[in-house]
Each structure stands twice: as structure tokens, then as C-alpha cells.
Amino acid sequence: MDRRTLIKGAIASAATLSSAAALASAPPASKLKAIRRAVDADFDRSLTRIKDWMRLPTVAAEKLNVEQGADYMAKLATEAGFTRVRKVATGGNPAVFGVLDAGAKRTIGLYFMYDVKQYDEPGWSSPPLEPVMFDHPMGRALRGRGACNHKGPEGTFLAAIHAFRAAGVPLPVNLVLLAEGEEEIGSPNLRNALKDAEVLAELQRADAVFMPTPMQGLKGEVAISLGAKGMIECELIASGERWDRGAVQDIHSGMKAAVDSPVWRLIEALSTLVKDGGNTPAIDGWFEHYRPLTDRQRVMLAKLNGTSTDAEVKASLGVKKWIDDLPLAEAMERMTSEPTVNIEGLVAGYTGPGGKTILPTRATAKLDFRIVPDMKAADCVAKLRAHLAKRGFSDIEIKVSGNYDPTETSETSGLVLAQQAFLDRRGLEHTITPRIAGSYPGYIYTGEPLRKPFNQFGLGMGGKAHAPDEFYLIESNNPKVAGLREATMGHVEFLYMLASIA
Amino acid sequence: MDRRTLIKGAIASAATLSSAAALASAPPASKLKAIRRAVDADFDRSLTRIKDWMRLPTVAAEKLNVEQGADYMAKLATEAGFTRVRKVATGGNPAVFGVLDAGAKRTIGLYFMYDVKQYDEPGWSSPPLEPVMFDHPMGRALRGRGACNHKGPEGTFLAAIHAFRAAGVPLPVNLVLLAEGEEEIGSPNLRNALKDAEVLAELQRADAVFMPTPMQGLKGEVAISLGAKGMIECELIASGERWDRGAVQDIHSGMKAAVDSPVWRLIEALSTLVKDGGNTPAIDGWFEHYRPLTDRQRVMLAKLNGTSTDAEVKASLGVKKWIDDLPLAEAMERMTSEPTVNIEGLVAGYTGPGGKTILPTRATAKLDFRIVPDMKAADCVAKLRAHLAKRGFSDIEIKVSGNYDPTETSETSGLVLAQQAFLDRRGLEHTITPRIAGSYPGYIYTGEPLRKPFNQFGLGMGGKAHAPDEFYLIESNNPKVAGLREATMGHVEFLYMLASIA
């Protein structure tokens, strides 16, 4: 996930007046003070907890450190005070479950991930598995794989719970934790955790669910997100073996004169999936359940635009031109509204330096499809399959590694109202974005059977998720932007807000 | 090169009556006897020479062992009796030149290569750089990279020259050697060796040029080849950098909604290069200089067909079906007559296991184009460039790593007559194939300014060039098929035939 990057810069906050603050009780000042002392006292331990966790990367795509990562997640939960902590079988990497019963009236669900993105990309300034502090324009930051996606932010939340206990203050809400180890491959098995009766029952008790996430922009502003696109991640594989044409193994390329090529076949099939140079899906029926933006969503987007210049946004995202040279507002509207067909990677035949005169027997395209309400992942996979079959490409294997539906949460839910109240109280500018361009498996919570409000929330700042030099801000030189201590206190206060209005 | 594989099985020999034998003088029997004794006495040394050479792989695509490989080639030539041996600058890997002046009337050019194909492919039964003898259905064979392509066959020819000297018998022809170190990347610089006045002058003296190559099929038959397709090997690279669209580095794939993809761009460009599922070039003007097979060439092809069944040919080549389910004869005609556009490899974005949600900034297709007379490589590169430019793809980089023209030699040349005479004398069945489906840089010799007859020739058998378990037959269990000793004697006798009719 790289939600921050997707909206950072693109969406600067415009102050919005909200009546939400009026709904919430102020957190008790004396308790906050005691907790703050505990947060400060525990700072080193909290930072070390994050660093130690980063040294154990669970990479789902590579089946790396799966059980170790789940056990480590369980250990962290237990140490933070969760009970009934256990691994939950999902058919894939295990989920980790736990509850923290504070005897409170309200219950809040937490969505964590214990896996991280691969760390093989070149360009790291220091080894990705050796977390180090460095000077960042915003202060002192922690660098390494998982720093902001998502061990730093999750470790920040754990620090908050530790601080409650250290201060002898009961939590204002009960907590239910569900952590998964396959977020980075599209959460293919997370929903299976809900087949566990205890997990389902405890989550059904929750009033809302959120994922601790550093949401602040350069000036401290926060863009509350109401949803995300759904995603299907898959490989399309053309092979002589399944096609029953071409060669059974790589053969000399001179044979092309009389032998079919699975590589050309894959390219032909791929070409049918898009139009407009790859910018518009062309899969049969793809837009059947596409729901255009509502007027209210357009109003939200309009509020978001205009605070950053086109050049600023492009520079922050590393982009030269928008599709069709669109103006910023239309580019951002596409980010919110449009389904995409993206090629993450191509692999066929000889991939080393120079050439090698072979006719390959196999070609693979790694694709991700982003979908918007009311498109459903399962339906889209079926449409993709039918589209290829109709064109005679049934031999092309569709290997789905992850898929989930879009997610949406109402702006009038207690969760979002509590977030606005919290930000108002802090004096932080905030806006609402109807949907981010990225994806996360929020539908697990917002969809059937739970139907809970869900989004991501937290103070703090991080960046370069999925990229070299991923970082998480630890000591901020801007009082509006939270470092580790302030972000931890942010969760403390936010839990009080949730207790009163979630 | 993998010429043997390309025609093996596909083309079984039909005995043809030739009057060529009548033109040639028989080699002097007493001299042959003395040379044969030397060949037998030197067997171990000849085999060791090949093995030692194989342990030093020069891989042009990886710039591996370039100078060492050239020096080794020079050492081998000097040891065999060549004089004026030296490396010749070509702008790429150096060529190696030498002459062996026997005071003979006729001069024969030799084309060698000292580079080998990459040896990274999986599936080797033993380490590719550790030559070992093993039991092959045809006898005892040598396995390792370079065994048949081309160090084994070239070492066999060197063994023949060593044997002449050991026996105290003068060579019946003078020799001019030109060896290159970039054959496997399409000989991009070989023609530059002809800019060297001494090289050009010596080669101009030659009556014909050939490359020692094991040409025998399972029953000992030989298909004499009159030519080969030309080839262009290149990469097509689409990148955000050159396009000035898309992202300047890999970015989160959610951005696809508003950012162009160089991967889709490459696929779109590639799609314009072919039709019929990749089986017919569709590049503007590609067939302008295409010359269809002549009646005489069709007669040759007709003679070649019918001795192997379709199933036998398919099994030997690892192919399930021909293009359009053609019958064997038409498939073989395509092999001979049709230009091809082949994708050797695709590389874009994330290529590891599973997926990674990025929008890549760069995509590369590795292509090879085979061309037939009277198409010229330089003209075809220009046509490819114009084709892409006309469709707005000028930003797609065309990185040509090798290219050469088709090559043709007359069936009435002294070279081919001598080959027929030699095979007749040996009682070996032989046929003539107008053109192989593969390529080799014969145009260096058959084209301007030399215009010499050129092809590949030799007894013996090898296989799996460019593939795991490449081998070269050393001890044959079929008296019709030459092992190392007989193939060496084959060159001895063939040189006598050349002396009388080349």
C-alpha cells in the first residue's frame, strides 16, 4: 500500500468547518497528562520495538518468514495487553487475532498487516532491513522496508496501548485486533478469517474498524479517506504447453518461420484488454456496474483541488504529464473514479543482458486491475475470463493471486465524525477524499457480513512505501506534523473521541 | 547458431546422383594413411584441446572473457601452424587472423567463432563449463557449452591441420583464418575486420570460404546448405524518460488512473509489427525486396521432403503443431522462404515471484528479425524505424545489437561441387537445402566486396546448441556417422577435394 503517496501533494487540505467536535466529549486532561509521561518515558522502547519488527520481513509473494512473522505479530499483541491472542488459519498466511477487553461500552476493531513489500528494488541509501535514523527535511526519520508501510504506524498504535497501561489508565474502548500477512499480495485469504466464529463474533461487536496510518501532509493537514478502489492482481500466462501450439520448450528462434509464439499470443490477448493507449479498460462488460461519482463526491473533490499547483503535484509524484495532458482537477477525478488495467511486469524468454535467439515457450504478464463501486472483484475476474475466452484465448492461464472489492464508508459514520472532531480539537486542517486511487481490503469490514465503518487514520508522516528509502517520521521539526510521540498521543486522544461518538 | 538442429530431422537426405566426383582427383592414398596414423596418435591431445577451450567461455552478450578468448584463439591458431597470427580490431570484440601458406595453388578461407552462447539456462545434466564424456544413443559424446557450437567442430579442423604436420605432409591448399568473438550477438562488427588491408587481401585470394561444422544426420546423411537468412537482433525500449510521459521511475500502480504506461505503449507498438497472430511481418514495406523461392529452390525442397514423417520432425524439434496446422512440406517451405519477427524476451517492471503493484517506467522487448534475399539488414532497420515513427512511436528506442544480410552460394560453385564429390566418394547420402531457417554471417564472404562461395561443412554430429546439454559426438557407434577421428579425416580429404576443384 502506498496511500499516502497517492494523495500527498495531490490533495492539500482546505479547512472545513465541522460540527463533529461538538458531538464529542473532551478527553480527560489529567489522564492525558499521565499517558503523555508514559509515552515520553517509553520512547526508546517504542522506537526499538518498530526497528526490531522491521528486521523480520514477511514477504507474502516470496513466502518469506510467514510463520515467524505471524508469531512475532502475536508476541507484539500479547505484550501490548491483548488476550486470547492466536493465529487464525485462512488457507494462506495465518491471520493473528486478539482482544483487549477494557470493560468499555464501545468496541473498536483494528486492522493490521504484518507483511511488507519486497525489498529487492535498487536505489536504497542504506540496507532496507537495517533500520536507521536519518535527517529528513521534516526532521529525523526512520528508514527501511516497513518503516511507514506499515510497521512504524502500527508500532505507534501499540505504543499508545502500552502507555495507557504504564500510566495505569484503562482504555476508553475495547479493542479487537485482526492482523493479516498477505496485504501486499492483495489479501487473497483475509476474508477466510471471518469464518472463524470467535473472530466474526468479536468483530461484529465493533462499532468501527480502522488501520493506524500516518495521514498528515507537509503542513500537518489530513485528508480523511472514505474509501478505496478494489483490486484484482493476477498473472496472464501464455504457454506452448497449455496452448498446445508453439514449442514445448524454448527453441531456436529461426523456427519462428513455422512455429507459433506464445509471446505474440500474450501480446495479442493483452491488446484486447485496453484502448486509448492502455488508459481505458476494454474488457467486455467491464463498466456494467460502474457507478459514476455522485454530486456530493464531486463537491468533495472540488474542495480538495486548488491548494496545490499542478507542477507541485507532478513533482511530488514523479510524473511528467497526466493522461491526455489533463488539467490537475480532471487527473485527480480520474484517480478517484476510473477503473484501471495496469501491467506491473512482463517476463518472457531471455531476460538477461543482450539477446538470445530463442522462441520462448512461455510468456507472463503481471497485471493489476483497480475497480470502483459497484464493480465486484469476483464478477470482474469472471468477465476477464469470458472476454479472453470469447476471443479464443481460453488457453491463456489467469492466475489470480489477490482480489478484493472496493470499499466505502459514509462521511456521517461515527468513525469519520470522530476523526473530524479529533482533528478540529487539534486545530489541524482536514478534508475528505471520497476514494483513494490505491486499494486496501476495507471491504472485509465495510462489506457483508460486518458492514462496519472502516478507514485508515492517524497522525504522523511517512513515505516511499513500495520504493527505495521508505521512511517514517520519528522526530518532527514542524509542530503541526506529528513525530512518533505526538502520533502516539494522537491515537490516545482519538480512542477517547471514538469512545464518545463512534 | 543452431543450424543442425534446425534442419535435423526436418530434412532427411535423399541420395542424389552427382557428377561432381568425376571432377575431383582422389586424395593420395599413402598420404592419407600417414595422416590417419597421426590423427589416431593425436586423439587424446585433440580431445583435450577442445575441452580446455570450452573451459574458457567468451560470451559476447555479457562481455565475458573477450580478450582472453581472442588470445586463446590466437594461441590455438599459432600452435596449429598459422603464421602472421594477430588480433584485428573491429570496434567490438577483436577478430583473430592468420594464414597458413602451404605454397599451394588454391587458397581456402576459414570462418571460426571463438565466442559461445550464454550458459545460464537451467536443465544441464552437468556443469556447462566442465566438459564431460557421456553415453549418447549415437556413441560417446562430449557435453558442455561450446561442444558443438562451435569449439568441438573447429577443434576437429585444427586436429586435421596438426595431423598434416605430424605426418610430414604439406597441406594441399593454403588457409586464411578469420575468427570472430561476436557470432552469438549477430556479428555486429565482423565486417569491420575487412577494413584491415591484410585481412582483405588474403581473403580476396581465397577461392572459397567455409566454417567447419558437423553436418551429419542420424544415418550419416548430409544436407548441404546453400545459404541462410539474414538477421537483425535488437531491443525495443519504451520508457517514461524518452517518451516524456508516464513516470520518471516506477510508481504505485494506483496512479495508472491518471498516468500513462510505457508498458502498454510497448505492447501497442509491438502489435503493429505483425499480423496473423505474430506469424507475418506487418512492417511497412517489409516485403519490398522479398524474393520468392525460385523453381529450382522448390525442386530442392521437394527432394528434401518425404524422407521423414511429420511426427518425426515435430518430435525432433519439440514442436506440437506447425503454424496454421500446415503440412510438413509447407512448414519447411516457410522455414526456407519466410522472414520472421520473433520476440526473444520481454522485460518490464517487476519480474520476480508473485506481483508488485507498480506502474513501471520502462519496458523492453528483445526481438530478432530473420530476412531473406534480397532484403538487406540496414534497409530493414530503416524500415522498422520509419514504421514506428509513422505511428507516433519515435520515442521507442531501437537498440540494434547485431544485423546481417542473407547469404547465398551457388550450387554450381567449386565449394559445393567439392562437397558433393567428397560425400559421393565417402558413399554418404546428401541433399541440397536452398537456405536454412537460422542465420550466420555468410554475407561477409558472399556479399561485397569478397563475393566468395561460402557455407558450412564437415562430418560429425552435434546438437542442443543454445540449449542445456549441448553435445558433440566423439566416438560414434554408427560407421556412417563420424566421431572425432573420422570427422578430422573428413576435413583432410575435403581439403584435397578443394585443392582439385574449388
Side-chain angles (χ1 to χ4, degrees), chain A residues 209 225-228 300 407-416 419 432-434 440 442 445-446 452-455:
Chain A
V209 185
S225 161
L226 297 182
M300 288 182 202
T407 180
E408 283 189 307
T409 286
S410 164
E411 62 176 319
T412 59
S413 64
L415 178 70
V416 175
Q419 288 164 355
I432 295 186
T433 180
Y440 54 81
Y445 306 104
T446 60
K452 305 290 180 187
F454 173 86
N455 70 2

Side-chain angles (χ1 to χ4, degrees), chain B residues 289-307:
Chain B
H289 301 296
Y290 169 86
R291 191 212 310 148
L293 294 181
T294 62
D295 289 345
R296 174 60 193 148
Q297 286 173 319
R298 286 180 192 279
V299 168
M300 286 181 202
L301 280 176
K303 275 193 194 163
L304 294 174
N305 290 316
T307 50

Side-chain angles (χ1 to χ4, degrees), chain A residues 134-157:
Chain A
F134 72 104
D135 284 321
H136 183 276
M138 299 295 294
R140 293 281 293 168
L142 179 63
R143 181 168 59 217
R145 179 51 83 233
C148 82
N149 180 204
H150 222 87
K151 289 174 174 173
E154 291 169 352
T156 303
F157 188 88

Side-chain angles (χ1 to χ4, degrees), chain B residues 377-398:
Chain B
D379 179 57
C380 287
V381 170
K383 284 187 158 79
L384 172 64
R385 208 173 289 282
H387 173 96
L388 289 176
K390 186 179 166 190
R391 287 158 181 79
F393 293 115
S394 310
D395 57 289
I396 292 182
E397 186 181 0
I398 303 172

